[in-house]
């Protein structure tokens, strides 16, 4: 199981962020996104799978997060043969965006 990558960026809508987490392993890992604050949830939650030439599988889970204030999101990845790995990142609220509105946050475990 390779280290997960958690990526957060603003969507076209100012109050929404696109959150994606990917992990590669053999067998295919389970990738789950979570929001650590009550009353906030993901929409348009979906996963894609890519089989690599070396026999590993990369799973990417993507969701849309609607939040006006700073929010913590987590990514949990696991395979049957290894301990789960978790990653947390704070998604800044609307008042914390850059001047051009484009921000990219990428966190490696």
């Amino acid at each position: 199981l390779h280290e997960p990558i958690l990526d957060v960026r603003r969507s076209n809508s100012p109050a929404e962020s696109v959150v994606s987490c990917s992990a590669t392993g053999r067998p295919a890992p389970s990738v789950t996104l979570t929001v650590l604050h009550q009353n906030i949830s993901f929409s348009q939650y979906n996963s894609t799978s890519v089989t690599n030439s070396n026999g590993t599988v990369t799973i990417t889970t993507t969701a849309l997060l609607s939040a006006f204030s700073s929010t913590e999101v987590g990514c949990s990845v696991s395979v049957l043969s290894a301990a789960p790995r978790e990653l947390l990142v704070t998604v800044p609220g609307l008042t914390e965006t850059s001047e051009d509105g484009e921000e990219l946050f990428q966190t490696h475990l």
Side-chain angles (χ1 to χ4, degrees), residues 51-96:
T51 302
N52 303 302
S53 58
N54 63 0
T56 60
V57 178
T58 300
I59 303 293
T60 302
T61 299
T62 304
L64 204 55
L65 175 69
S66 297
F68 289 97
S69 59
S70 181
T71 305
E72 275 195 314
V73 296
C75 175
S76 175
V77 299
S78 62
V79 292
L80 295 175
S81 60
R85 298 181 185 194
E86 294 192 19
L87 203 54
L88 289 176
V89 67
T90 299
V91 179
L94 288 178
T95 58
E96 301 173 52

Side-chain angles (χ1 to χ4, degrees), residues 1-8 18-24 29-37 42 45-48 58-63 65 71-79 83-91 105-109:
L1 177 65
H2 294 275
E3 301 298 332
I5 298 172
L6 183 57
D7 177 58
V8 179
V18 177
V19 180
S20 67
C21 184
S22 63
T24 301
S30 171
V31 178
T32 306
L33 290 170
T34 54
V35 181
L36 302 183
H37 289 86
F42 288 116
Y45 194 98
N46 66 62
S47 292
T48 58
T58 300
I59 303 293
T60 302
T61 299
T62 304
L65 175 69
T71 305
E72 275 195 314
V73 296
C75 175
S76 175
V77 299
S78 62
V79 292
R85 298 181 185 194
E86 294 192 19
L87 203 54
L88 289 176
V89 67
T90 299
V91 179
F105 307 92
Q106 192 166 25
T107 306
H108 297 269
L109 191 70

